[in-house]
Amino acid sequence: MSDAPKRRVLVLSTLWPNEAHPRFGTFVARSIEALARETDWQPVVINPIGLPPVVFGRYKTVRDAAVSGTEKGVEIHRPVFRLLPKVGGRLNPALIASAVMPLARTLHEAAPFDLVDAQFFYPDGPAAMRIADELDLPFSVKARGADIHYWGARSYGLAALRETADKAAGVLAVSDALADDMAALGMPREKITIHRTGLDRDRFRPLGHTQLRTRLAEELGIPLSKDDQLLATVGALIERKGQALVIKALGDLPEARLLLVGKGEDEASLRALARSEGVADRVHFLGLLDHDLLPLVLSAADAMVLPSASEGLANAWIEALACGTPIVITDAGGAREVVDTPVAGVIVARRTEAVREGIRLVLQNRRPPEEVAACVKEYSWEANGRALGAHYDRLLEG
């Protein structure tokens, strides 16, 4: 970093950890924190918190988390916007922009920004577009996967995505495959720069000591033996992630035990499926794990299995490989950009029998953990932060 005055970027992100949801959007936070450490850019984050007209139930905790401050060296502001649960998707960009605009103007007047950035394409992108226009600044927007595939399938969402991409000074995507999907939806491919995820290399690394499974069994309160074929699936418990396919595959894998990491709306149906398939004693629902415990799970596992219907480039892929654990995944998003060697694992069709055979193939061809971890040696949050800063630089200098 130079001694020149720092450039300032106003980062708009509905994805950001808070007291109510401490693991929500941690990958966005790590990226922006690395930007602040590794470059001459000074980020100021606006993390809008959505609340319904009547605050009830879990929203009371969310309301109490709408607190501003400085977190890990980054200035965070959490204004509240009006949220209409389940029906407000079309309105959210305008509602966010309206709620954020007075704060954005005040911050800009106090210390001018050079750029506005949205860390999620929808609803953040169209909201950032409005704010940037009001402040007469260029803006950048990043695509991560679900924001493109979900909202791009809705007419109003697709129109908003296209307008945002057209007016942005620059666009980021987490994989080449996602960039191609965006181009297929009518967004300018030549404007898209690939910005891959980062990785906490101190935390996610092979932890191969002999007592690892014993320690993990004690931590989780579940039976684990050294002879188990241990599978892990990391992701929200929703249909798109494909946990049901992994549970069904267990029926013909009698020595396999499955650790499901994540929470979501499908948990009850997945538990029922495990019972009906006769494998409930070998399927363990771990919920949302502390990030210090997740590397233990991934390092202890023989494979990380995630048969997603769609992805950008899943952090879970990279974290598993960094722990020396091969992956069994479907041909979604940037899968072929990650599994480009048999050492990293296999890509399978999104069918139970294909998932089962993929697991068997990986288990039969185990490689040293250090060799697997080398597949993602280029990933780090430091590299991610520097790449983001270089992208911002190009937008101002171009």
Side-chain angles (χ1 to χ4, degrees), residues 197-201 204-206 313-325 327 337-341 343-344 369-380:
T197 189
L199 175 70
D200 185 338
R201 304 203 65 86
F204 292 97
R205 54 190 174 83
L313 193 149
N315 290 65
W317 300 346
I318 307 304
E319 291 170 350
L321 291 171
C323 289
T325 302
I327 57 180
E337 298 161 48
V338 175
V339 182
D340 56 359
T341 168
V343 175
E370 290 72 22
E371 189 176 342
V372 176
C375 294
V376 291
K377 64 180 183 299
E378 303 299 327
Y379 288 80
S380 71

PDB file of all heavy atoms in Angstrom, residues 197-201 204-206 313-325 327 337-341 343-344 369-380:
ATOM      1  N   THR A 197     -13.729 -16.608  -4.853  1.00  0.00           N
ATOM      2  CA  THR A 197     -13.859 -16.493  -3.408  1.00  0.00           C
ATOM      3  C   THR A 197     -12.497 -16.558  -2.727  1.00  0.00           C
ATOM      4  O   THR A 197     -11.488 -16.910  -3.347  1.00  0.00           O
ATOM      5  CB  THR A 197     -14.770 -17.613  -2.864  1.00  0.00           C
ATOM      6  OG1 THR A 197     -15.045 -17.356  -1.477  1.00  0.00           O
ATOM      7  CG2 THR A 197     -14.122 -18.981  -2.991  1.00  0.00           C
ATOM      8  N   GLY A 198     -12.474 -16.231  -1.452  1.00  0.00           N
ATOM      9  CA  GLY A 198     -11.258 -16.330  -0.663  1.00  0.00           C
ATOM     10  C   GLY A 198     -11.282 -17.546   0.238  1.00  0.00           C
ATOM     11  O   GLY A 198     -12.159 -18.415   0.128  1.00  0.00           O
ATOM     12  N   LEU A 199     -10.324 -17.608   1.140  1.00  0.00           N
ATOM     13  CA  LEU A 199     -10.190 -18.759   2.032  1.00  0.00           C
ATOM     14  C   LEU A 199      -9.339 -18.367   3.225  1.00  0.00           C
ATOM     15  O   LEU A 199      -8.291 -17.731   3.067  1.00  0.00           O
ATOM     16  CB  LEU A 199      -9.529 -19.922   1.280  1.00  0.00           C
ATOM     17  CG  LEU A 199      -9.206 -21.176   2.089  1.00  0.00           C
ATOM     18  CD1 LEU A 199     -10.494 -21.897   2.477  1.00  0.00           C
ATOM     19  CD2 LEU A 199      -8.308 -22.112   1.281  1.00  0.00           C
ATOM     20  N   ASP A 200      -9.804 -18.729   4.414  1.00  0.00           N
ATOM     21  CA  ASP A 200      -9.007 -18.542   5.627  1.00  0.00           C
ATOM     22  C   ASP A 200      -8.041 -19.715   5.727  1.00  0.00           C
ATOM     23  O   ASP A 200      -8.374 -20.792   6.205  1.00  0.00           O
ATOM     24  CB  ASP A 200      -9.932 -18.493   6.847  1.00  0.00           C
ATOM     25  CG  ASP A 200      -9.183 -18.170   8.134  1.00  0.00           C
ATOM     26  OD1 ASP A 200      -7.952 -18.398   8.185  1.00  0.00           O
ATOM     27  OD2 ASP A 200      -9.829 -17.722   9.095  1.00  0.00           O
ATOM     28  N   ARG A 201      -6.821 -19.510   5.275  1.00  0.00           N
ATOM     29  CA  ARG A 201      -5.856 -20.609   5.177  1.00  0.00           C
ATOM     30  C   ARG A 201      -5.342 -21.059   6.539  1.00  0.00           C
ATOM     31  O   ARG A 201      -4.890 -22.203   6.682  1.00  0.00           O
ATOM     32  CB  ARG A 201      -4.687 -20.213   4.275  1.00  0.00           C
ATOM     33  CG  ARG A 201      -5.119 -19.778   2.865  1.00  0.00           C
ATOM     34  CD  ARG A 201      -3.993 -19.927   1.882  1.00  0.00           C
ATOM     35  NE  ARG A 201      -3.644 -21.330   1.717  1.00  0.00           N
ATOM     36  CZ  ARG A 201      -4.256 -22.151   0.865  1.00  0.00           C
ATOM     37  NH1 ARG A 201      -5.241 -21.729   0.112  1.00  0.00           N
ATOM     38  NH2 ARG A 201      -3.890 -23.406   0.774  1.00  0.00           N
ATOM     39  N   PHE A 204      -8.717 -23.324   7.563  1.00  0.00           N
ATOM     40  CA  PHE A 204      -9.039 -24.446   6.687  1.00  0.00           C
ATOM     41  C   PHE A 204      -7.760 -25.039   6.097  1.00  0.00           C
ATOM     42  O   PHE A 204      -7.199 -24.533   5.128  1.00  0.00           O
ATOM     43  CB  PHE A 204     -10.000 -23.993   5.586  1.00  0.00           C
ATOM     44  CG  PHE A 204     -11.359 -23.630   6.109  1.00  0.00           C
ATOM     45  CD1 PHE A 204     -11.684 -22.311   6.369  1.00  0.00           C
ATOM     46  CD2 PHE A 204     -12.304 -24.613   6.378  1.00  0.00           C
ATOM     47  CE1 PHE A 204     -12.929 -21.967   6.878  1.00  0.00           C
ATOM     48  CE2 PHE A 204     -13.549 -24.279   6.886  1.00  0.00           C
ATOM     49  CZ  PHE A 204     -13.861 -22.951   7.135  1.00  0.00           C
ATOM     50  N   ARG A 205      -7.328 -26.119   6.705  1.00  0.00           N
ATOM     51  CA  ARG A 205      -6.128 -26.843   6.303  1.00  0.00           C
ATOM     52  C   ARG A 205      -6.274 -28.277   6.813  1.00  0.00           C
ATOM     53  O   ARG A 205      -7.093 -28.546   7.697  1.00  0.00           O
ATOM     54  CB  ARG A 205      -4.872 -26.186   6.881  1.00  0.00           C
ATOM     55  CG  ARG A 205      -4.931 -25.999   8.380  1.00  0.00           C
ATOM     56  CD  ARG A 205      -3.797 -25.138   8.901  1.00  0.00           C
ATOM     57  NE  ARG A 205      -3.937 -24.840  10.314  1.00  0.00           N
ATOM     58  CZ  ARG A 205      -3.559 -25.636  11.301  1.00  0.00           C
ATOM     59  NH1 ARG A 205      -2.979 -26.805  11.029  1.00  0.00           N
ATOM     60  NH2 ARG A 205      -3.725 -25.287  12.564  1.00  0.00           N
ATOM     61  N   PRO A 206      -5.514 -29.212   6.284  1.00  0.00           N
ATOM     62  CA  PRO A 206      -5.633 -30.600   6.762  1.00  0.00           C
ATOM     63  C   PRO A 206      -5.276 -30.708   8.241  1.00  0.00           C
ATOM     64  O   PRO A 206      -4.217 -30.266   8.669  1.00  0.00           O
ATOM     65  CB  PRO A 206      -4.621 -31.354   5.883  1.00  0.00           C
ATOM     66  CG  PRO A 206      -4.487 -30.521   4.651  1.00  0.00           C
ATOM     67  CD  PRO A 206      -4.603 -29.102   5.119  1.00  0.00           C
ATOM     68  N   LEU A 313     -19.805 -20.390  -7.289  1.00  0.00           N
ATOM     69  CA  LEU A 313     -18.629 -21.182  -6.931  1.00  0.00           C
ATOM     70  C   LEU A 313     -18.690 -21.306  -5.416  1.00  0.00           C
ATOM     71  O   LEU A 313     -18.437 -20.346  -4.694  1.00  0.00           O
ATOM     72  CB  LEU A 313     -17.333 -20.516  -7.396  1.00  0.00           C
ATOM     73  CG  LEU A 313     -16.089 -21.405  -7.346  1.00  0.00           C
ATOM     74  CD1 LEU A 313     -15.098 -21.019  -8.432  1.00  0.00           C
ATOM     75  CD2 LEU A 313     -15.413 -21.350  -5.992  1.00  0.00           C
ATOM     76  N   ALA A 314     -19.087 -22.471  -4.939  1.00  0.00           N
ATOM     77  CA  ALA A 314     -19.441 -22.641  -3.527  1.00  0.00           C
ATOM     78  C   ALA A 314     -18.220 -22.562  -2.619  1.00  0.00           C
ATOM     79  O   ALA A 314     -17.220 -23.241  -2.856  1.00  0.00           O
ATOM     80  CB  ALA A 314     -20.148 -23.981  -3.321  1.00  0.00           C
ATOM     81  N   ASN A 315     -18.329 -21.740  -1.566  1.00  0.00           N
ATOM     82  CA  ASN A 315     -17.255 -21.677  -0.579  1.00  0.00           C
ATOM     83  C   ASN A 315     -17.007 -23.046   0.037  1.00  0.00           C
ATOM     84  O   ASN A 315     -15.863 -23.387   0.360  1.00  0.00           O
ATOM     85  CB  ASN A 315     -17.619 -20.682   0.526  1.00  0.00           C
ATOM     86  CG  ASN A 315     -17.595 -19.250   0.056  1.00  0.00           C
ATOM     87  OD1 ASN A 315     -18.387 -18.855  -0.788  1.00  0.00           O
ATOM     88  ND2 ASN A 315     -16.692 -18.451   0.592  1.00  0.00           N
ATOM     89  N   ALA A 316     -18.068 -23.843   0.205  1.00  0.00           N
ATOM     90  CA  ALA A 316     -17.919 -25.162   0.811  1.00  0.00           C
ATOM     91  C   ALA A 316     -17.004 -26.064  -0.008  1.00  0.00           C
ATOM     92  O   ALA A 316     -16.291 -26.901   0.552  1.00  0.00           O
ATOM     93  CB  ALA A 316     -19.282 -25.821   0.983  1.00  0.00           C
ATOM     94  N   TRP A 317     -17.014 -25.933  -1.327  1.00  0.00           N
ATOM     95  CA  TRP A 317     -16.096 -26.715  -2.166  1.00  0.00           C
ATOM     96  C   TRP A 317     -14.647 -26.409  -1.789  1.00  0.00           C
ATOM     97  O   TRP A 317     -13.838 -27.309  -1.579  1.00  0.00           O
ATOM     98  CB  TRP A 317     -16.274 -26.388  -3.638  1.00  0.00           C
ATOM     99  CG  TRP A 317     -17.609 -26.628  -4.250  1.00  0.00           C
ATOM    100  CD1 TRP A 317     -18.645 -27.349  -3.734  1.00  0.00           C
ATOM    101  CD2 TRP A 317     -18.063 -26.121  -5.513  1.00  0.00           C
ATOM    102  NE1 TRP A 317     -19.712 -27.330  -4.596  1.00  0.00           N
ATOM    103  CE2 TRP A 317     -19.384 -26.595  -5.694  1.00  0.00           C
ATOM    104  CE3 TRP A 317     -17.478 -25.337  -6.500  1.00  0.00           C
ATOM    105  CZ2 TRP A 317     -20.131 -26.296  -6.839  1.00  0.00           C
ATOM    106  CZ3 TRP A 317     -18.210 -25.032  -7.636  1.00  0.00           C
ATOM    107  CH2 TRP A 317     -19.514 -25.509  -7.801  1.00  0.00           C
ATOM    108  N   ILE A 318     -14.357 -25.114  -1.752  1.00  0.00           N
ATOM    109  CA  ILE A 318     -12.976 -24.662  -1.541  1.00  0.00           C
ATOM    110  C   ILE A 318     -12.518 -25.006  -0.128  1.00  0.00           C
ATOM    111  O   ILE A 318     -11.379 -25.458   0.082  1.00  0.00           O
ATOM    112  CB  ILE A 318     -12.851 -23.154  -1.797  1.00  0.00           C
ATOM    113  CG1 ILE A 318     -13.407 -22.786  -3.181  1.00  0.00           C
ATOM    114  CG2 ILE A 318     -11.404 -22.702  -1.657  1.00  0.00           C
ATOM    115  CD1 ILE A 318     -12.766 -23.538  -4.331  1.00  0.00           C
ATOM    116  N   GLU A 319     -13.385 -24.818   0.857  1.00  0.00           N
ATOM    117  CA  GLU A 319     -13.017 -25.102   2.241  1.00  0.00           C
ATOM    118  C   GLU A 319     -12.766 -26.588   2.454  1.00  0.00           C
ATOM    119  O   GLU A 319     -11.827 -26.974   3.171  1.00  0.00           O
ATOM    120  CB  GLU A 319     -14.108 -24.581   3.167  1.00  0.00           C
ATOM    121  CG  GLU A 319     -14.173 -23.055   3.195  1.00  0.00           C
ATOM    122  CD  GLU A 319     -15.386 -22.496   3.914  1.00  0.00           C
ATOM    123  OE1 GLU A 319     -16.303 -23.266   4.242  1.00  0.00           O
ATOM    124  OE2 GLU A 319     -15.419 -21.264   4.147  1.00  0.00           O
ATOM    125  N   ALA A 320     -13.576 -27.443   1.839  1.00  0.00           N
ATOM    126  CA  ALA A 320     -13.357 -28.888   1.968  1.00  0.00           C
ATOM    127  C   ALA A 320     -12.019 -29.294   1.359  1.00  0.00           C
ATOM    128  O   ALA A 320     -11.224 -30.019   1.980  1.00  0.00           O
ATOM    129  CB  ALA A 320     -14.500 -29.653   1.297  1.00  0.00           C
ATOM    130  N   LEU A 321     -11.754 -28.831   0.157  1.00  0.00           N
ATOM    131  CA  LEU A 321     -10.485 -29.175  -0.498  1.00  0.00           C
ATOM    132  C   LEU A 321      -9.296 -28.672   0.308  1.00  0.00           C
ATOM    133  O   LEU A 321      -8.284 -29.369   0.432  1.00  0.00           O
ATOM    134  CB  LEU A 321     -10.460 -28.601  -1.916  1.00  0.00           C
ATOM    135  CG  LEU A 321     -11.432 -29.244  -2.918  1.00  0.00           C
ATOM    136  CD1 LEU A 321     -11.473 -28.438  -4.213  1.00  0.00           C
ATOM    137  CD2 LEU A 321     -11.027 -30.683  -3.211  1.00  0.00           C
ATOM    138  N   ALA A 322      -9.415 -27.478   0.863  1.00  0.00           N
ATOM    139  CA  ALA A 322      -8.318 -26.923   1.660  1.00  0.00           C
ATOM    140  C   ALA A 322      -8.026 -27.781   2.880  1.00  0.00           C
ATOM    141  O   ALA A 322      -6.891 -27.822   3.364  1.00  0.00           O
ATOM    142  CB  ALA A 322      -8.650 -25.502   2.092  1.00  0.00           C
ATOM    143  N   CYS A 323      -9.054 -28.494   3.375  1.00  0.00           N
ATOM    144  CA  CYS A 323      -8.868 -29.404   4.510  1.00  0.00           C
ATOM    145  C   CYS A 323      -8.385 -30.780   4.065  1.00  0.00           C
ATOM    146  O   CYS A 323      -8.270 -31.692   4.898  1.00  0.00           O
ATOM    147  CB  CYS A 323     -10.179 -29.536   5.290  1.00  0.00           C
ATOM    148  SG  CYS A 323     -10.619 -28.042   6.203  1.00  0.00           S
ATOM    149  N   GLY A 324      -8.119 -30.936   2.773  1.00  0.00           N
ATOM    150  CA  GLY A 324      -7.610 -32.210   2.263  1.00  0.00           C
ATOM    151  C   GLY A 324      -8.686 -33.221   1.949  1.00  0.00           C
ATOM    152  O   GLY A 324      -8.402 -34.415   1.796  1.00  0.00           O
ATOM    153  N   THR A 325      -9.931 -32.755   1.826  1.00  0.00           N
ATOM    154  CA  THR A 325     -11.076 -33.644   1.613  1.00  0.00           C
ATOM    155  C   THR A 325     -11.607 -33.475   0.196  1.00  0.00           C
ATOM    156  O   THR A 325     -12.039 -32.364  -0.169  1.00  0.00           O
ATOM    157  CB  THR A 325     -12.189 -33.329   2.623  1.00  0.00           C
ATOM    158  OG1 THR A 325     -11.648 -33.487   3.942  1.00  0.00           O
ATOM    159  CG2 THR A 325     -13.365 -34.263   2.456  1.00  0.00           C
ATOM    160  N   ILE A 327     -14.163 -33.738  -3.084  1.00  0.00           N
ATOM    161  CA  ILE A 327     -15.569 -33.375  -3.164  1.00  0.00           C
ATOM    162  C   ILE A 327     -16.287 -34.177  -4.246  1.00  0.00           C
ATOM    163  O   ILE A 327     -15.702 -34.537  -5.270  1.00  0.00           O
ATOM    164  CB  ILE A 327     -15.757 -31.856  -3.395  1.00  0.00           C
ATOM    165  CG1 ILE A 327     -15.030 -31.388  -4.658  1.00  0.00           C
ATOM    166  CG2 ILE A 327     -15.237 -31.086  -2.184  1.00  0.00           C
ATOM    167  CD1 ILE A 327     -15.175 -29.887  -4.932  1.00  0.00           C
ATOM    168  N   GLU A 337     -14.288 -25.670 -12.932  1.00  0.00           N
ATOM    169  CA  GLU A 337     -13.142 -24.807 -12.674  1.00  0.00           C
ATOM    170  C   GLU A 337     -12.444 -25.192 -11.379  1.00  0.00           C
ATOM    171  O   GLU A 337     -11.305 -24.781 -11.139  1.00  0.00           O
ATOM    172  CB  GLU A 337     -13.603 -23.341 -12.622  1.00  0.00           C
ATOM    173  CG  GLU A 337     -14.201 -22.859 -13.936  1.00  0.00           C
ATOM    174  CD  GLU A 337     -15.050 -21.607 -13.784  1.00  0.00           C
ATOM    175  OE1 GLU A 337     -14.577 -20.646 -13.130  1.00  0.00           O
ATOM    176  OE2 GLU A 337     -16.182 -21.585 -14.311  1.00  0.00           O
ATOM    177  N   VAL A 338     -13.130 -25.970 -10.543  1.00  0.00           N
ATOM    178  CA  VAL A 338     -12.565 -26.421  -9.266  1.00  0.00           C
ATOM    179  C   VAL A 338     -12.132 -27.874  -9.351  1.00  0.00           C
ATOM    180  O   VAL A 338     -11.006 -28.224  -8.980  1.00  0.00           O
ATOM    181  CB  VAL A 338     -13.587 -26.217  -8.127  1.00  0.00           C
ATOM    182  CG1 VAL A 338     -13.060 -26.782  -6.812  1.00  0.00           C
ATOM    183  CG2 VAL A 338     -13.924 -24.739  -7.961  1.00  0.00           C
ATOM    184  N   VAL A 339     -13.005 -28.736  -9.848  1.00  0.00           N
ATOM    185  CA  VAL A 339     -12.665 -30.152 -10.019  1.00  0.00           C
ATOM    186  C   VAL A 339     -12.091 -30.328 -11.414  1.00  0.00           C
ATOM    187  O   VAL A 339     -12.763 -30.758 -12.352  1.00  0.00           O
ATOM    188  CB  VAL A 339     -13.893 -31.058  -9.794  1.00  0.00           C
ATOM    189  CG1 VAL A 339     -13.504 -32.528  -9.937  1.00  0.00           C
ATOM    190  CG2 VAL A 339     -14.487 -30.816  -8.419  1.00  0.00           C
ATOM    191  N   ASP A 340     -10.830 -29.949 -11.557  1.00  0.00           N
ATOM    192  CA  ASP A 340     -10.150 -30.052 -12.856  1.00  0.00           C
ATOM    193  C   ASP A 340      -9.068 -31.127 -12.838  1.00  0.00           C
ATOM    194  O   ASP A 340      -8.257 -31.218 -13.760  1.00  0.00           O
ATOM    195  CB  ASP A 340      -9.544 -28.707 -13.260  1.00  0.00           C
ATOM    196  CG  ASP A 340      -8.597 -28.142 -12.216  1.00  0.00           C
ATOM    197  OD1 ASP A 340      -8.412 -28.792 -11.154  1.00  0.00           O
ATOM    198  OD2 ASP A 340      -8.026 -27.059 -12.441  1.00  0.00           O
ATOM    199  N   THR A 341      -9.085 -31.939 -11.786  1.00  0.00           N
ATOM    200  CA  THR A 341      -8.168 -33.064 -11.655  1.00  0.00           C
ATOM    201  C   THR A 341      -8.841 -34.111 -10.770  1.00  0.00           C
ATOM    202  O   THR A 341      -9.597 -33.742  -9.854  1.00  0.00           O
ATOM    203  CB  THR A 341      -6.830 -32.632 -11.034  1.00  0.00           C
ATOM    204  OG1 THR A 341      -6.075 -33.797 -10.669  1.00  0.00           O
ATOM    205  CG2 THR A 341      -7.041 -31.801  -9.790  1.00  0.00           C
ATOM    206  N   VAL A 343      -7.737 -35.644  -8.391  1.00  0.00           N
ATOM    207  CA  VAL A 343      -7.333 -35.450  -6.994  1.00  0.00           C
ATOM    208  C   VAL A 343      -8.402 -34.661  -6.234  1.00  0.00           C
ATOM    209  O   VAL A 343      -8.649 -34.900  -5.048  1.00  0.00           O
ATOM    210  CB  VAL A 343      -5.975 -34.731  -6.920  1.00  0.00           C
ATOM    211  CG1 VAL A 343      -5.594 -34.422  -5.478  1.00  0.00           C
ATOM    212  CG2 VAL A 343      -4.895 -35.568  -7.581  1.00  0.00           C
ATOM    213  N   ALA A 344      -9.057 -33.714  -6.911  1.00  0.00           N
ATOM    214  CA  ALA A 344     -10.047 -32.854  -6.255  1.00  0.00           C
ATOM    215  C   ALA A 344     -11.370 -33.569  -6.019  1.00  0.00           C
ATOM    216  O   ALA A 344     -12.169 -33.118  -5.188  1.00  0.00           O
ATOM    217  CB  ALA A 344     -10.279 -31.601  -7.088  1.00  0.00           C
ATOM    218  N   PRO A 369      -4.072 -36.040   2.015  1.00  0.00           N
ATOM    219  CA  PRO A 369      -4.757 -34.763   2.227  1.00  0.00           C
ATOM    220  C   PRO A 369      -3.968 -33.557   1.702  1.00  0.00           C
ATOM    221  O   PRO A 369      -4.556 -32.622   1.156  1.00  0.00           O
ATOM    222  CB  PRO A 369      -4.931 -34.701   3.749  1.00  0.00           C
ATOM    223  CG  PRO A 369      -4.977 -36.128   4.170  1.00  0.00           C
ATOM    224  CD  PRO A 369      -4.023 -36.853   3.261  1.00  0.00           C
ATOM    225  N   GLU A 370      -2.663 -33.580   1.872  1.00  0.00           N
ATOM    226  CA  GLU A 370      -1.843 -32.450   1.412  1.00  0.00           C
ATOM    227  C   GLU A 370      -1.912 -32.306  -0.102  1.00  0.00           C
ATOM    228  O   GLU A 370      -1.869 -31.185  -0.635  1.00  0.00           O
ATOM    229  CB  GLU A 370      -0.395 -32.629   1.869  1.00  0.00           C
ATOM    230  CG  GLU A 370      -0.171 -32.476   3.364  1.00  0.00           C
ATOM    231  CD  GLU A 370      -0.726 -33.652   4.169  1.00  0.00           C
ATOM    232  OE1 GLU A 370      -0.902 -34.747   3.582  1.00  0.00           O
ATOM    233  OE2 GLU A 370      -0.977 -33.469   5.386  1.00  0.00           O
ATOM    234  N   GLU A 371      -2.038 -33.423  -0.804  1.00  0.00           N
ATOM    235  CA  GLU A 371      -2.146 -33.388  -2.257  1.00  0.00           C
ATOM    236  C   GLU A 371      -3.493 -32.788  -2.671  1.00  0.00           C
ATOM    237  O   GLU A 371      -3.581 -32.014  -3.628  1.00  0.00           O
ATOM    238  CB  GLU A 371      -1.999 -34.803  -2.820  1.00  0.00           C
ATOM    239  CG  GLU A 371      -1.875 -34.870  -4.324  1.00  0.00           C
ATOM    240  CD  GLU A 371      -1.638 -36.284  -4.819  1.00  0.00           C
ATOM    241  OE1 GLU A 371      -1.231 -37.145  -4.002  1.00  0.00           O
ATOM    242  OE2 GLU A 371      -1.871 -36.536  -6.017  1.00  0.00           O
ATOM    243  N   VAL A 372      -4.553 -33.147  -1.943  1.00  0.00           N
ATOM    244  CA  VAL A 372      -5.876 -32.586  -2.219  1.00  0.00           C
ATOM    245  C   VAL A 372      -5.882 -31.088  -1.927  1.00  0.00           C
ATOM    246  O   VAL A 372      -6.387 -30.282  -2.717  1.00  0.00           O
ATOM    247  CB  VAL A 372      -6.957 -33.307  -1.386  1.00  0.00           C
ATOM    248  CG1 VAL A 372      -8.321 -32.665  -1.608  1.00  0.00           C
ATOM    249  CG2 VAL A 372      -7.009 -34.790  -1.736  1.00  0.00           C
ATOM    250  N   ALA A 373      -5.306 -30.701  -0.803  1.00  0.00           N
ATOM    251  CA  ALA A 373      -5.293 -29.291  -0.408  1.00  0.00           C
ATOM    252  C   ALA A 373      -4.549 -28.430  -1.422  1.00  0.00           C
ATOM    253  O   ALA A 373      -4.875 -27.249  -1.610  1.00  0.00           O
ATOM    254  CB  ALA A 373      -4.667 -29.142   0.977  1.00  0.00           C
ATOM    255  N   ALA A 374      -3.577 -28.999  -2.093  1.00  0.00           N
ATOM    256  CA  ALA A 374      -2.809 -28.243  -3.087  1.00  0.00           C
ATOM    257  C   ALA A 374      -3.675 -27.798  -4.258  1.00  0.00           C
ATOM    258  O   ALA A 374      -3.298 -26.865  -4.992  1.00  0.00           O
ATOM    259  CB  ALA A 374      -1.639 -29.081  -3.586  1.00  0.00           C
ATOM    260  N   CYS A 375      -4.830 -28.424  -4.450  1.00  0.00           N
ATOM    261  CA  CYS A 375      -5.725 -28.050  -5.548  1.00  0.00           C
ATOM    262  C   CYS A 375      -6.251 -26.618  -5.396  1.00  0.00           C
ATOM    263  O   CYS A 375      -6.679 -26.005  -6.383  1.00  0.00           O
ATOM    264  CB  CYS A 375      -6.909 -29.018  -5.631  1.00  0.00           C
ATOM    265  SG  CYS A 375      -6.486 -30.710  -6.075  1.00  0.00           S
ATOM    266  N   VAL A 376      -6.257 -26.089  -4.171  1.00  0.00           N
ATOM    267  CA  VAL A 376      -6.784 -24.739  -3.946  1.00  0.00           C
ATOM    268  C   VAL A 376      -5.724 -23.838  -3.329  1.00  0.00           C
ATOM    269  O   VAL A 376      -6.030 -22.926  -2.563  1.00  0.00           O
ATOM    270  CB  VAL A 376      -8.061 -24.782  -3.061  1.00  0.00           C
ATOM    271  CG1 VAL A 376      -9.218 -25.407  -3.819  1.00  0.00           C
ATOM    272  CG2 VAL A 376      -7.808 -25.535  -1.763  1.00  0.00           C
ATOM    273  N   LYS A 377      -4.483 -24.077  -3.678  1.00  0.00           N
ATOM    274  CA  LYS A 377      -3.378 -23.319  -3.075  1.00  0.00           C
ATOM    275  C   LYS A 377      -3.411 -21.834  -3.437  1.00  0.00           C
ATOM    276  O   LYS A 377      -2.806 -20.998  -2.745  1.00  0.00           O
ATOM    277  CB  LYS A 377      -2.030 -23.925  -3.474  1.00  0.00           C
ATOM    278  CG  LYS A 377      -1.711 -23.878  -4.947  1.00  0.00           C
ATOM    279  CD  LYS A 377      -0.352 -24.512  -5.215  1.00  0.00           C
ATOM    280  CE  LYS A 377       0.059 -24.442  -6.677  1.00  0.00           C
ATOM    281  NZ  LYS A 377      -0.878 -25.160  -7.573  1.00  0.00           N
ATOM    282  N   GLU A 378      -4.116 -21.471  -4.512  1.00  0.00           N
ATOM    283  CA  GLU A 378      -4.149 -20.076  -4.944  1.00  0.00           C
ATOM    284  C   GLU A 378      -5.203 -19.256  -4.196  1.00  0.00           C
ATOM    285  O   GLU A 378      -5.233 -18.033  -4.333  1.00  0.00           O
ATOM    286  CB  GLU A 378      -4.456 -20.006  -6.445  1.00  0.00           C
ATOM    287  CG  GLU A 378      -3.471 -20.775  -7.327  1.00  0.00           C
ATOM    288  CD  GLU A 378      -2.049 -20.250  -7.190  1.00  0.00           C
ATOM    289  OE1 GLU A 378      -1.891 -19.027  -6.981  1.00  0.00           O
ATOM    290  OE2 GLU A 378      -1.104 -21.054  -7.289  1.00  0.00           O
ATOM    291  N   TYR A 379      -6.051 -19.911  -3.414  1.00  0.00           N
ATOM    292  CA  TYR A 379      -7.160 -19.204  -2.770  1.00  0.00           C
ATOM    293  C   TYR A 379      -6.738 -18.659  -1.410  1.00  0.00           C
ATOM    294  O   TYR A 379      -6.156 -19.379  -0.596  1.00  0.00           O
ATOM    295  CB  TYR A 379      -8.353 -20.144  -2.577  1.00  0.00           C
ATOM    296  CG  TYR A 379      -9.083 -20.491  -3.852  1.00  0.00           C
ATOM    297  CD1 TYR A 379      -8.590 -21.469  -4.716  1.00  0.00           C
ATOM    298  CD2 TYR A 379     -10.268 -19.842  -4.200  1.00  0.00           C
ATOM    299  CE1 TYR A 379      -9.256 -21.796  -5.894  1.00  0.00           C
ATOM    300  CE2 TYR A 379     -10.943 -20.169  -5.369  1.00  0.00           C
ATOM    301  CZ  TYR A 379     -10.431 -21.141  -6.208  1.00  0.00           C
ATOM    302  OH  TYR A 379     -11.095 -21.460  -7.366  1.00  0.00           O
ATOM    303  N   SER A 380      -7.052 -17.399  -1.164  1.00  0.00           N
ATOM    304  CA  SER A 380      -6.869 -16.799   0.157  1.00  0.00           C
ATOM    305  C   SER A 380      -7.684 -15.516   0.196  1.00  0.00           C
ATOM    306  O   SER A 380      -8.002 -14.937  -0.859  1.00  0.00           O
ATOM    307  CB  SER A 380      -5.389 -16.479   0.434  1.00  0.00           C
ATOM    308  OG  SER A 380      -4.961 -15.380  -0.357  1.00  0.00           O
TER     309      SER A 380
END
